[in-house]
Amino acid sequence: MAQQPSGPATVRAPDRPYTINAGDELEIYVWGEERLQREIRVLPDGTFSFPLVGQVIAQGQLPSQVETAITNGLSSQYRGQVPQVTVSVKAPAGFIFSVIGRVKSPSTFTPGRYVNVVDAIAMAGGGDEFANLDNVVIVRKGQNPLRVRLGGVMKGNVSANGADIPQIESGDTVIVP
């Protein structure tokens, strides 16, 4: 009979909360107000229009922050308390990145979840036989290019701390020379 470990169970740290991106499809529901239920796609400028509220900034916001913005926008329309507003991301189509260069299947990806640079390269089929995985570059809008050394990690030498592997953000381009 196998003995059960007596120590505390290992719990995986939760992923970072999802922030809304341009292109995401949102489902918005105002409780008790069927006429205000909407499925809305966030525009390329990161905003959308909502009845009785007007323009709402969604880019980079958590769904709960968008709920608050809509609730505040509706407050002038109600004498008492504003009905509860629920915002959920129906389709995270706005989280998109590209992997180019010496990979087997360069492309643009919409994974529907957060990924790190190793995941991104794996989605592109991994590096080809001439890939220089010790000089991978992540091009991120508004920032200096980020250079990453992944040669050891990609060969199975996982001595690198998981925190050393950068997360991909929407709009990133991963270049494998």
Side-chain angles (χ1 to χ4, degrees), residues 28 38 48 57 90 108 153 172:
I28 302 171
R38 298 277 190 282
F48 64 88
I57 298 171
K90 185 174 181 183
T108 299
V153 173
D172 282 358

Side-chain angles (χ1 to χ4, degrees), residues 147-163:
R147 298 199 180 279
V148 185
R149 299 177 60 90
L150 296 174
V153 173
M154 298 297 272
K155 291 176 184 168
N157 301 335
V158 281
S159 61
N161 182 351

Side-chain angles (χ1 to χ4, degrees), residues 39-121:
E39 289 183 6
I40 295 175
R41 185 163 306 276
V42 179
L43 298 172
D45 68 354
T47 66
F48 64 88
S49 292
F50 194 76
L52 305 174
V53 175
Q55 200 81 357
V56 178
I57 298 171
Q59 177 78 35
Q61 302 289 315
L62 298 171
S64 61
Q65 292 172 309
V66 175
E67 289 171 1
T68 301
I70 293 171
T71 300
N72 292 342
L74 290 173
S75 64
S76 66
Q77 304 296 319
Y78 291 88
R79 290 185 186 174
Q81 185 175 349
V82 176
Q84 182 177 350
V85 176
T86 303
V87 174
S88 57
V89 179
K90 185 174 181 183
F95 184 69
I96 188 167
F97 64 90
S98 299
V99 181
I100 61 173
R102 296 202 174 267
V103 290
K104 294 176 183 164
S105 301
S107 187
T108 299
F109 301 93
T110 306
R113 63 180 174 85
Y114 287 122
V115 297
N116 61 34
V117 69
V118 174
D119 296 330
I121 293 171

Side-chain angles (χ1 to χ4, degrees), residues 4-17:
Q4 296 294 324
S6 60
T10 303
V11 178
R12 184 176 174 268
D15 290 330
R16 65 183 183 196

